[in-house]
Amino acid sequence: MEETQNFIERLESAILKKKEWFDSVQLPAALEQYRLMLVCVKTVNENLVKRSIITPDPYKWDKRISEVVVPPADAFTDQDFSQVLGERLSSYETMIDFVCNYYRFNVDSLPVTKVKLLVDLNKCFQWDNLTTANGNPNTQGLATAIQRVKTNAPNMTLSMINDSVDKCSKAYGFIAKTLSEFAGFQREYYKWSVRKEVIGSSDFDKSKASSKESECAEIKRLFQKIMGKKPFYADLISEIAEEDLGDDKTRLQEMVLAKLALKQTDAKPKPKGPTSKEILMGSVQALGGIAPVLTQLDVKLTENFDLLFFVKKTFFRKIMQALRKAMGLSEKERTCTIPVVDQKTGVKVMQKIKVNEMLTDLDNKKRIYSGIAAKGIEYAKIEGASETAILTFVNKQISENQALFTTINALDDYFKANVEVLLRPKVKGLKIDLSSYRNAIINVNKKRGEYVSIKEEVSQMRQLGINGKI
């Protein structure tokens, strides 16, 4: 009896330490890898669409998601290649986006069912073996698509795709390893919960649990009453009985404890507080969170501007367009003048919008922020600069994004009022995306504010003769 009690105490200590490690270290790290993968998958997807290798999913923005749905993995013909791969890659990107925004990465919020969905989603595209010889149709198709891009794409595009694939491969490996280890922990966590809640209950009759079979029967008798809607896993209940009353129980108990033990590499020493530059770089990293929002706004704005300037393509117009293209002449810049409320004064002013210029600026921002999110060349350049230069950059980005937000917000109303009546049902609403955009800007501003606040505090301490240093 004393031996069993000793095991229970050691087991509880090991479970709680491992749970804390998953909650504070490993699962948050996995979420960061999902966020990195999202940016990289978007980059690959966008470039394959731009090079007309795949066809974008036309219903991507209309789908409502309440849970992860793993894209199909059955074989498809070369005739359907562009459409099917485009739909599956778009769906895969959407699911990762959903995971990043709606899944909570801690032990209590990731039951077995969700982990299984994440494992299946992770297998959808095998980034660590992205070859045309891969037996997985999706992976094989993506490898073929990337190979086709490489035949005529510019070096910048190839560099972006190669960098994204490399990062996806590393993220894929980390996520797969984490999910595998977490699934193993979930088994032991479930068994520990049953020991604590059911076997530890005052209703549990230990006199009726003198053998493996009778202990399983007694657990089953009380399980639903105590555990509620939690599933009853007979195989795990049998493992509990084997560890408690089996002939080989001592060895089995030690195996469980060894499985739960934190390795030295896991139990990393707590790092010292971040430096002021690291705090400032937090605001730079937050800029990366704007990239996905701008991607969605770019698509919807482009469609809405096309509706706003819709001109029936007559035979004569088609000839003129062909002549302009042959002579290397660019299309006439589309412009519109919209009423915009000045955020400082509250006065409504008229603002002239040069459409192509605005969309190009938005695309440039999206590319820079995607590079920051993926910690690519852009991020490295910023990190190598002085704190003053970084702060100037962040201030500029906040100011520009606030101005862009105000403009797009005004455009949303302008489209609804000025697009031709028959075409208005096709206008894409921007309010949800604008809400996400506002929150992303607020997040950057908050991070910037933390840095400014700390620097001011240090400055005041020095004025008092205290050597404040971070």
Side-chain angles (χ1 to χ4, degrees):
M1 189 69 181
E2 186 179 338
E3 182 183 341
T4 302
Q5 186 59 34
N6 180 47
F7 168 64
I8 297 298
E9 289 174 0
R10 292 171 66 197
L11 176 64
E12 181 168 17
S13 175
I15 284 282
L16 295 178
K17 285 180 181 176
K18 194 81 170 183
K19 180 179 184 293
E20 183 184 3
W21 177 72
F22 271 114
D23 283 342
S24 62
V25 179
Q26 198 68 1
L27 290 178
L31 176 58
E32 286 303 313
Q33 292 302 308
Y34 272 114
R35 287 172 175 160
L36 172 61
M37 182 178 274
L38 175 62
V39 173
C40 295
V41 171
K42 281 181 183 291
T43 300
V44 172
N45 199 353
E46 286 173 12
N47 280 287
L48 291 180
V49 169
K50 282 181 180 177
R51 308 303 297 181
S52 301
I53 304 296
I54 61 175
T55 305
D57 182 358
Y59 305 106
K60 179 176 180 179
W61 307 112
D62 300 326
K63 293 176 181 176
R64 295 191 176 186
I65 306 163
S66 58
E67 187 48 276
V68 169
V69 178
V70 180
D74 53 307
F76 49 91
T77 63
D78 194 56
Q79 185 179 358
D80 299 325
F81 179 91
S82 177
Q83 181 183 345
V84 173
L85 184 61
E87 288 176 357
R88 292 183 183 181
L89 191 58
S90 289
S91 177
Y92 177 70
E93 178 191 318
T94 302
M95 290 305 121
I96 295 176
D97 192 3
F98 180 81
V99 169
C100 289
N101 288 293
Y102 294 100
Y103 268 34
R104 294 177 62 191
F105 277 69
N106 58 60
V107 172
D108 295 326
S109 301
L110 284 178
V112 175
T113 50
K114 285 193 174 184
V115 173
K116 187 178 184 309
L117 283 173
L118 291 176
V119 169
D120 292 342
L121 179 64
N122 207 41
K123 291 177 181 176
C124 188
F125 289 94
Q126 298 169 9
W127 294 95
D128 63 339
N129 186 25
L130 199 62
T131 66
T132 54
N134 193 301
N136 177 296
N138 291 341
T139 308
Q140 186 184 86
L142 182 57
T144 301
I146 289 173
Q147 229 178 40
R148 290 176 184 176
V149 168
K150 291 181 177 179
T151 58
N152 58 2
N155 290 334
M156 178 64 76
T157 300
L158 294 180
S159 176
M160 288 173 67
I161 290 176
N162 289 336
D163 184 59
S164 294
V165 169
D166 182 57
K167 285 184 170 68
C168 279
S169 175
K170 291 174 182 175
Y172 171 90
F174 183 89
I175 290 168
K177 182 181 176 184
T178 298
L179 292 177
S180 175
E181 189 173 355
F182 184 58
F185 171 74
Q186 279 184 317
R187 292 175 64 90
E188 301 307 326
Y189 190 69
Y190 174 90
K191 287 158 59 181
W192 171 73
S193 298
V194 172
R195 288 181 189 278
K196 184 180 180 183
E197 302 296 333
V198 180
I199 299 178
S201 167
S202 58
D203 293 336
F204 188 84
D205 192 343
K206 293 182 180 178
S207 65
K208 292 182 180 179
S210 56
S211 67
K212 292 183 291 183
E213 293 76 14
S214 60
E215 181 171 88
C216 288
E218 184 65 8
I219 292 172
K220 189 173 183 180
R221 181 180 72 84
L222 294 169
F223 190 89
Q224 189 173 6
K225 175 185 174 183
I226 296 174
M227 304 299 282
K229 293 183 179 181
K230 284 192 177 180
F232 181 88
Y233 296 121
D235 58 331
L236 297 183
I237 302 302
S238 295
E239 285 185 20
I240 292 173
E242 285 287 350
E243 291 158 10
D244 287 348
L245 301 164
D247 296 334
D248 202 17
K249 66 177 186 179
T250 302
R251 185 182 68 84
L252 292 174
Q253 289 174 3
E254 291 303 322
M255 283 177 61
V256 170
L257 293 172
K259 194 187 299 183
L260 292 168
L262 288 173
K263 302 168 189 174
Q264 284 189 340
T265 52
D266 294 341
K268 294 178 181 177
K270 291 184 179 179
K272 295 178 181 178
T275 64
S276 58
K277 188 170 185 177
E278 288 170 342
I279 294 169
L280 180 57
M281 286 304 294
S283 63
V284 175
Q285 290 174 36
L287 285 168
I290 297 178
V293 185
L294 292 185
T295 298
Q296 295 180 29
L297 285 170
D298 189 15
V299 172
K300 292 185 178 181
L301 282 169
T302 300
E303 292 182 19
N304 287 352
F305 276 126
D306 287 343
L307 292 172
L308 182 66
F309 293 96
F310 178 79
V311 178
K312 190 173 181 180
K313 291 194 174 182
T314 61
F315 180 70
F316 177 73
R317 181 170 175 79
K318 288 179 181 178
I319 291 176
M320 292 302 295
Q321 283 181 327
L323 284 171
R324 280 199 188 94
K325 190 173 182 181
M327 298 173 67
L329 299 174
S330 59
E331 285 281 341
K332 184 181 177 181
E333 173 67 276
R334 298 175 296 175
T335 62
C336 59
T337 303
I338 65 172
V340 177
V341 177
D342 189 300
Q343 296 299 304
K344 292 181 180 178
T345 63
V347 176
K348 189 176 286 187
V349 296
M350 302 307 291
Q351 181 178 334
K352 185 177 181 180
I353 305 293
K354 293 183 178 180
V355 176
N356 294 345
E357 188 178 298
M358 177 184 174
L359 293 177
T360 299
D361 177 58
L362 195 148
D363 194 59
N364 287 336
K365 275 185 166 50
K366 181 177 66 176
R367 178 182 55 78
I368 293 169
Y369 298 158
S370 294
I372 288 172
K375 292 195 174 180
I377 297 171
E378 294 84 356
Y379 183 87
K381 284 181 179 178
I382 297 167
E383 192 174 33
S386 66
E387 285 186 38
T388 303
I390 297 171
L391 182 59
T392 300
F393 170 77
V394 172
N395 287 338
K396 183 172 183 285
Q397 298 310 309
I398 291 172
S399 176
E400 289 181 356
N401 278 287
Q402 287 172 336
L404 184 58
F405 172 87
T406 302
T407 300
I408 297 174
N409 192 38
L411 277 168
D412 185 45
D413 295 327
Y414 187 81
F415 288 136
K416 292 169 185 174
N418 290 276
V419 167
E420 190 176 318
V421 175
L422 292 176
L423 297 174
R424 282 181 196 173
K426 295 183 180 181
V427 172
K428 301 288 186 183
L430 305 175
K431 292 302 182 189
I432 294 175
D433 303 291
L434 283 166
S435 178
S436 299
Y437 191 17
R438 182 194 295 111
N439 291 337
I441 296 170
I442 288 171
N443 187 36
V444 178
N445 209 4
K446 180 182 174 184
K447 299 279 186 185
R448 188 268 309 265
E450 289 173 5
Y451 169 80
V452 172
S453 176
I454 288 171
K455 292 296 283 186
E456 287 177 354
E457 184 180 332
V458 171
S459 176
Q460 289 173 5
M461 288 171 67
R462 283 177 179 165
Q463 287 177 6
L464 295 171
I466 303 170
N467 187 20
K469 202 172 186 180
I470 59 169

mmCIF file of all heavy atoms in Angstrom, residues 103-132:
data_model
loop_
_atom_site.group_PDB
_atom_site.id
_atom_site.type_symbol
_atom_site.label_atom_id
_atom_site.label_comp_id
_atom_site.label_asym_id
_atom_site.label_seq_id
_atom_site.Cartn_x
_atom_site.Cartn_y
_atom_site.Cartn_z
ATOM 1 N N TYR A 103 -7.635 28.250 -31.924
ATOM 2 C CA TYR A 103 -7.217 27.175 -31.034
ATOM 3 C C TYR A 103 -6.412 27.746 -29.872
ATOM 4 O O TYR A 103 -5.567 28.625 -30.079
ATOM 5 C CB TYR A 103 -6.359 26.148 -31.788
ATOM 6 C CG TYR A 103 -7.144 24.995 -32.374
ATOM 7 C CD1 TYR A 103 -8.437 25.170 -32.858
ATOM 8 C CD2 TYR A 103 -6.595 23.721 -32.451
ATOM 9 C CE1 TYR A 103 -9.148 24.117 -33.407
ATOM 10 C CE2 TYR A 103 -7.292 22.662 -32.994
ATOM 11 C CZ TYR A 103 -8.571 22.860 -33.478
ATOM 12 O OH TYR A 103 -9.278 21.810 -34.006
ATOM 13 N N ARG A 104 -6.698 27.253 -28.663
ATOM 14 C CA ARG A 104 -5.905 27.642 -27.498
ATOM 15 C C ARG A 104 -4.899 26.541 -27.227
ATOM 16 O O ARG A 104 -5.260 25.388 -27.023
ATOM 17 C CB ARG A 104 -6.825 27.850 -26.292
ATOM 18 C CG ARG A 104 -7.772 29.023 -26.456
ATOM 19 C CD ARG A 104 -8.715 29.144 -25.272
ATOM 20 N NE ARG A 104 -7.977 29.399 -24.042
ATOM 21 C CZ ARG A 104 -8.524 29.337 -22.829
ATOM 22 N NH1 ARG A 104 -9.784 28.995 -22.699
ATOM 23 N NH2 ARG A 104 -7.799 29.589 -21.759
ATOM 24 N N PHE A 105 -3.634 26.919 -27.236
ATOM 25 C CA PHE A 105 -2.565 25.936 -27.122
ATOM 26 C C PHE A 105 -2.142 25.731 -25.666
ATOM 27 O O PHE A 105 -1.134 26.249 -25.204
ATOM 28 C CB PHE A 105 -1.377 26.341 -28.006
ATOM 29 C CG PHE A 105 -1.545 25.915 -29.435
ATOM 30 C CD1 PHE A 105 -2.511 26.507 -30.232
ATOM 31 C CD2 PHE A 105 -0.787 24.897 -29.974
ATOM 32 C CE1 PHE A 105 -2.699 26.108 -31.549
ATOM 33 C CE2 PHE A 105 -0.963 24.482 -31.291
ATOM 34 C CZ PHE A 105 -1.925 25.083 -32.076
ATOM 35 N N ASN A 106 -2.979 24.976 -24.958
ATOM 36 C CA ASN A 106 -2.624 24.522 -23.620
ATOM 37 C C ASN A 106 -3.236 23.145 -23.402
ATOM 38 O O ASN A 106 -4.117 22.715 -24.166
ATOM 39 C CB ASN A 106 -3.073 25.511 -22.534
ATOM 40 C CG ASN A 106 -4.568 25.770 -22.552
ATOM 41 O OD1 ASN A 106 -5.362 24.854 -22.395
ATOM 42 N ND2 ASN A 106 -4.967 27.028 -22.758
ATOM 43 N N VAL A 107 -2.781 22.445 -22.396
ATOM 44 C CA VAL A 107 -3.169 21.048 -22.176
ATOM 45 C C VAL A 107 -4.681 20.888 -22.047
ATOM 46 O O VAL A 107 -5.281 19.991 -22.656
ATOM 47 C CB VAL A 107 -2.454 20.485 -20.928
ATOM 48 C CG1 VAL A 107 -2.996 19.095 -20.579
ATOM 49 C CG2 VAL A 107 -0.947 20.421 -21.166
ATOM 50 N N ASP A 108 -5.328 21.755 -21.280
ATOM 51 C CA ASP A 108 -6.759 21.605 -21.011
ATOM 52 C C ASP A 108 -7.637 21.938 -22.217
ATOM 53 O O ASP A 108 -8.807 21.533 -22.253
ATOM 54 C CB ASP A 108 -7.170 22.490 -19.823
ATOM 55 C CG ASP A 108 -6.513 22.041 -18.520
ATOM 56 O OD1 ASP A 108 -6.326 20.820 -18.359
ATOM 57 O OD2 ASP A 108 -6.176 22.900 -17.688
ATOM 58 N N SER A 109 -7.103 22.674 -23.181
ATOM 59 C CA SER A 109 -7.912 23.099 -24.336
ATOM 60 C C SER A 109 -7.652 22.274 -25.588
ATOM 61 O O SER A 109 -8.254 22.543 -26.630
ATOM 62 C CB SER A 109 -7.643 24.581 -24.642
ATOM 63 O OG SER A 109 -7.947 25.384 -23.539
ATOM 64 N N LEU A 110 -6.755 21.290 -25.506
ATOM 65 C CA LEU A 110 -6.447 20.455 -26.674
ATOM 66 C C LEU A 110 -6.729 18.987 -26.360
ATOM 67 O O LEU A 110 -5.811 18.224 -26.043
ATOM 68 C CB LEU A 110 -4.982 20.637 -27.094
ATOM 69 C CG LEU A 110 -4.615 21.920 -27.832
ATOM 70 C CD1 LEU A 110 -3.132 21.953 -28.123
ATOM 71 C CD2 LEU A 110 -5.408 22.051 -29.132
ATOM 72 N N PRO A 111 -7.995 18.573 -26.436
ATOM 73 C CA PRO A 111 -8.321 17.173 -26.185
ATOM 74 C C PRO A 111 -7.818 16.273 -27.310
ATOM 75 O O PRO A 111 -7.342 16.755 -28.348
ATOM 76 C CB PRO A 111 -9.845 17.179 -26.123
ATOM 77 C CG PRO A 111 -10.243 18.336 -26.973
ATOM 78 C CD PRO A 111 -9.177 19.371 -26.781
ATOM 79 N N VAL A 112 -7.976 14.979 -27.120
ATOM 80 C CA VAL A 112 -7.506 13.994 -28.096
ATOM 81 C C VAL A 112 -8.088 14.252 -29.477
ATOM 82 O O VAL A 112 -7.384 14.148 -30.488
ATOM 83 C CB VAL A 112 -7.882 12.563 -27.627
ATOM 84 C CG1 VAL A 112 -7.520 11.531 -28.689
ATOM 85 C CG2 VAL A 112 -7.188 12.233 -26.320
ATOM 86 N N THR A 113 -9.374 14.612 -29.540
ATOM 87 C CA THR A 113 -10.030 14.823 -30.836
ATOM 88 C C THR A 113 -9.370 15.947 -31.635
ATOM 89 O O THR A 113 -9.167 15.834 -32.845
ATOM 90 C CB THR A 113 -11.519 15.151 -30.629
ATOM 91 O OG1 THR A 113 -11.636 16.204 -29.640
ATOM 92 C CG2 THR A 113 -12.285 13.939 -30.132
ATOM 93 N N LYS A 114 -9.033 17.044 -30.949
ATOM 94 C CA LYS A 114 -8.392 18.175 -31.639
ATOM 95 C C LYS A 114 -6.963 17.841 -32.057
ATOM 96 O O LYS A 114 -6.511 18.255 -33.132
ATOM 97 C CB LYS A 114 -8.410 19.419 -30.743
ATOM 98 C CG LYS A 114 -9.781 20.071 -30.648
ATOM 99 C CD LYS A 114 -9.707 21.456 -30.028
ATOM 100 C CE LYS A 114 -11.066 22.143 -30.085
ATOM 101 N NZ LYS A 114 -11.025 23.519 -29.588
ATOM 102 N N VAL A 115 -6.261 17.111 -31.207
ATOM 103 C CA VAL A 115 -4.889 16.731 -31.544
ATOM 104 C C VAL A 115 -4.885 15.846 -32.784
ATOM 105 O O VAL A 115 -4.034 15.984 -33.662
ATOM 106 C CB VAL A 115 -4.200 16.027 -30.363
ATOM 107 C CG1 VAL A 115 -2.838 15.472 -30.771
ATOM 108 C CG2 VAL A 115 -4.016 16.999 -29.201
ATOM 109 N N LYS A 116 -5.857 14.936 -32.869
ATOM 110 C CA LYS A 116 -5.945 14.058 -34.050
ATOM 111 C C LYS A 116 -6.184 14.889 -35.312
ATOM 112 O O LYS A 116 -5.591 14.620 -36.373
ATOM 113 C CB LYS A 116 -7.068 13.046 -33.869
ATOM 114 C CG LYS A 116 -7.095 11.990 -34.982
ATOM 115 C CD LYS A 116 -8.185 10.967 -34.772
ATOM 116 C CE LYS A 116 -8.115 9.875 -35.830
ATOM 117 N NZ LYS A 116 -8.045 10.368 -37.211
ATOM 118 N N LEU A 117 -7.049 15.915 -35.207
ATOM 119 C CA LEU A 117 -7.285 16.799 -36.358
ATOM 120 C C LEU A 117 -5.999 17.515 -36.766
ATOM 121 O O LEU A 117 -5.694 17.637 -37.963
ATOM 122 C CB LEU A 117 -8.360 17.831 -36.014
ATOM 123 C CG LEU A 117 -9.819 17.360 -36.024
ATOM 124 C CD1 LEU A 117 -10.729 18.466 -35.501
ATOM 125 C CD2 LEU A 117 -10.250 16.948 -37.425
ATOM 126 N N LEU A 118 -5.237 17.978 -35.772
ATOM 127 C CA LEU A 118 -3.981 18.681 -36.064
ATOM 128 C C LEU A 118 -2.963 17.737 -36.707
ATOM 129 O O LEU A 118 -2.225 18.133 -37.620
ATOM 130 C CB LEU A 118 -3.410 19.283 -34.780
ATOM 131 C CG LEU A 118 -4.189 20.451 -34.173
ATOM 132 C CD1 LEU A 118 -3.558 20.890 -32.857
ATOM 133 C CD2 LEU A 118 -4.244 21.632 -35.137
ATOM 134 N N VAL A 119 -2.927 16.494 -36.229
ATOM 135 C CA VAL A 119 -2.007 15.500 -36.812
ATOM 136 C C VAL A 119 -2.374 15.248 -38.267
ATOM 137 O O VAL A 119 -1.511 15.229 -39.153
ATOM 138 C CB VAL A 119 -2.044 14.181 -36.006
ATOM 139 C CG1 VAL A 119 -1.294 13.068 -36.755
ATOM 140 C CG2 VAL A 119 -1.418 14.378 -34.626
ATOM 141 N N ASP A 120 -3.674 15.065 -38.544
ATOM 142 C CA ASP A 120 -4.130 14.814 -39.919
ATOM 143 C C ASP A 120 -3.884 16.028 -40.814
ATOM 144 O O ASP A 120 -3.508 15.883 -41.979
ATOM 145 C CB ASP A 120 -5.616 14.454 -39.922
ATOM 146 C CG ASP A 120 -5.894 13.102 -39.276
ATOM 147 O OD1 ASP A 120 -4.938 12.302 -39.149
ATOM 148 O OD2 ASP A 120 -7.052 12.846 -38.882
ATOM 149 N N LEU A 121 -4.109 17.229 -40.261
ATOM 150 C CA LEU A 121 -3.863 18.449 -41.034
ATOM 151 C C LEU A 121 -2.377 18.570 -41.368
ATOM 152 O O LEU A 121 -2.011 18.956 -42.478
ATOM 153 C CB LEU A 121 -4.319 19.677 -40.240
ATOM 154 C CG LEU A 121 -4.100 21.045 -40.901
ATOM 155 C CD1 LEU A 121 -4.925 21.166 -42.170
ATOM 156 C CD2 LEU A 121 -4.459 22.178 -39.938
ATOM 157 N N ASN A 122 -1.536 18.215 -40.413
ATOM 158 C CA ASN A 122 -0.089 18.318 -40.618
ATOM 159 C C ASN A 122 0.398 17.363 -41.709
ATOM 160 O O ASN A 122 1.385 17.629 -42.387
ATOM 161 C CB ASN A 122 0.652 18.020 -39.303
ATOM 162 C CG ASN A 122 1.994 18.706 -39.239
ATOM 163 O OD1 ASN A 122 2.119 19.861 -39.640
ATOM 164 N ND2 ASN A 122 3.008 18.018 -38.754
ATOM 165 N N LYS A 123 -0.308 16.250 -41.879
ATOM 166 C CA LYS A 123 0.089 15.261 -42.891
ATOM 167 C C LYS A 123 -0.402 15.625 -44.284
ATOM 168 O O LYS A 123 -0.034 14.972 -45.257
ATOM 169 C CB LYS A 123 -0.470 13.887 -42.515
ATOM 170 C CG LYS A 123 0.164 13.265 -41.277
ATOM 171 C CD LYS A 123 -0.513 11.935 -40.946
ATOM 172 C CE LYS A 123 0.093 11.306 -39.699
ATOM 173 N NZ LYS A 123 -0.622 10.060 -39.316
ATOM 174 N N CYS A 124 -1.235 16.658 -44.369
ATOM 175 C CA CYS A 124 -1.854 17.015 -45.652
ATOM 176 C C CYS A 124 -0.798 17.333 -46.716
ATOM 177 O O CYS A 124 -0.898 16.896 -47.859
ATOM 178 C CB CYS A 124 -2.776 18.204 -45.443
ATOM 179 S SG CYS A 124 -3.762 18.612 -46.875
ATOM 180 N N PHE A 125 0.212 18.121 -46.331
ATOM 181 C CA PHE A 125 1.354 18.411 -47.213
ATOM 182 C C PHE A 125 2.631 18.087 -46.433
ATOM 183 O O PHE A 125 2.882 18.688 -45.381
ATOM 184 C CB PHE A 125 1.363 19.880 -47.648
ATOM 185 C CG PHE A 125 0.270 20.235 -48.612
ATOM 186 C CD1 PHE A 125 -0.936 20.762 -48.153
ATOM 187 C CD2 PHE A 125 0.436 20.036 -49.971
ATOM 188 C CE1 PHE A 125 -1.964 21.081 -49.031
ATOM 189 C CE2 PHE A 125 -0.586 20.365 -50.862
ATOM 190 C CZ PHE A 125 -1.792 20.878 -50.388
ATOM 191 N N GLN A 126 3.407 17.152 -46.925
ATOM 192 C CA GLN A 126 4.616 16.699 -46.221
ATOM 193 C C GLN A 126 5.810 17.561 -46.645
ATOM 194 O O GLN A 126 6.558 17.208 -47.555
ATOM 195 C CB GLN A 126 4.856 15.212 -46.504
ATOM 196 C CG GLN A 126 3.723 14.329 -45.996
ATOM 197 C CD GLN A 126 3.809 12.893 -46.498
ATOM 198 O OE1 GLN A 126 4.801 12.482 -47.098
ATOM 199 N NE2 GLN A 126 2.758 12.119 -46.245
ATOM 200 N N TRP A 127 5.952 18.677 -45.957
ATOM 201 C CA TRP A 127 6.959 19.673 -46.336
ATOM 202 C C TRP A 127 8.390 19.150 -46.204
ATOM 203 O O TRP A 127 9.293 19.652 -46.877
ATOM 204 C CB TRP A 127 6.794 20.925 -45.480
ATOM 205 C CG TRP A 127 5.513 21.652 -45.728
ATOM 206 C CD1 TRP A 127 4.350 21.519 -45.032
ATOM 207 C CD2 TRP A 127 5.234 22.598 -46.773
ATOM 208 N NE1 TRP A 127 3.367 22.331 -45.561
ATOM 209 C CE2 TRP A 127 3.890 23.007 -46.624
ATOM 210 C CE3 TRP A 127 6.002 23.143 -47.801
ATOM 211 C CZ2 TRP A 127 3.292 23.935 -47.470
ATOM 212 C CZ3 TRP A 127 5.413 24.080 -48.639
ATOM 213 C CH2 TRP A 127 4.081 24.459 -48.473
ATOM 214 N N ASP A 128 8.599 18.174 -45.342
ATOM 215 C CA ASP A 128 9.962 17.652 -45.155
ATOM 216 C C ASP A 128 10.349 16.657 -46.246
ATOM 217 O O ASP A 128 11.481 16.191 -46.296
ATOM 218 C CB ASP A 128 10.102 17.004 -43.778
ATOM 219 C CG ASP A 128 9.198 15.787 -43.608
ATOM 220 O OD1 ASP A 128 8.200 15.672 -44.357
ATOM 221 O OD2 ASP A 128 9.470 14.965 -42.714
ATOM 222 N N ASN A 129 9.411 16.323 -47.141
ATOM 223 C CA ASN A 129 9.701 15.410 -48.251
ATOM 224 C C ASN A 129 8.938 15.883 -49.484
ATOM 225 O O ASN A 129 8.180 15.133 -50.096
ATOM 226 C CB ASN A 129 9.299 13.984 -47.864
ATOM 227 C CG ASN A 129 9.709 12.968 -48.917
ATOM 228 O OD1 ASN A 129 10.648 13.190 -49.681
ATOM 229 N ND2 ASN A 129 8.991 11.858 -48.976
ATOM 230 N N LEU A 130 9.160 17.134 -49.827
ATOM 231 C CA LEU A 130 8.430 17.764 -50.933
ATOM 232 C C LEU A 130 9.078 17.393 -52.264
ATOM 233 O O LEU A 130 9.866 18.154 -52.837
ATOM 234 C CB LEU A 130 8.420 19.288 -50.728
ATOM 235 C CG LEU A 130 7.357 20.078 -51.498
ATOM 236 C CD1 LEU A 130 5.961 19.670 -51.085
ATOM 237 C CD2 LEU A 130 7.543 21.571 -51.255
ATOM 238 N N THR A 131 8.729 16.208 -52.758
ATOM 239 C CA THR A 131 9.293 15.720 -54.022
ATOM 240 C C THR A 131 8.173 15.172 -54.902
ATOM 241 O O THR A 131 7.113 14.777 -54.405
ATOM 242 C CB THR A 131 10.318 14.592 -53.787
ATOM 243 O OG1 THR A 131 9.640 13.439 -53.247
ATOM 244 C CG2 THR A 131 11.413 15.030 -52.826
ATOM 245 N N THR A 132 8.434 15.115 -56.191
ATOM 246 C CA THR A 132 7.439 14.589 -57.140
ATOM 247 C C THR A 132 7.300 13.078 -57.017
ATOM 248 O O THR A 132 6.386 12.486 -57.603
ATOM 249 C CB THR A 132 7.834 14.953 -58.578
ATOM 250 O OG1 THR A 132 9.181 14.504 -58.823
ATOM 251 C CG2 THR A 132 7.770 16.457 -58.803
#
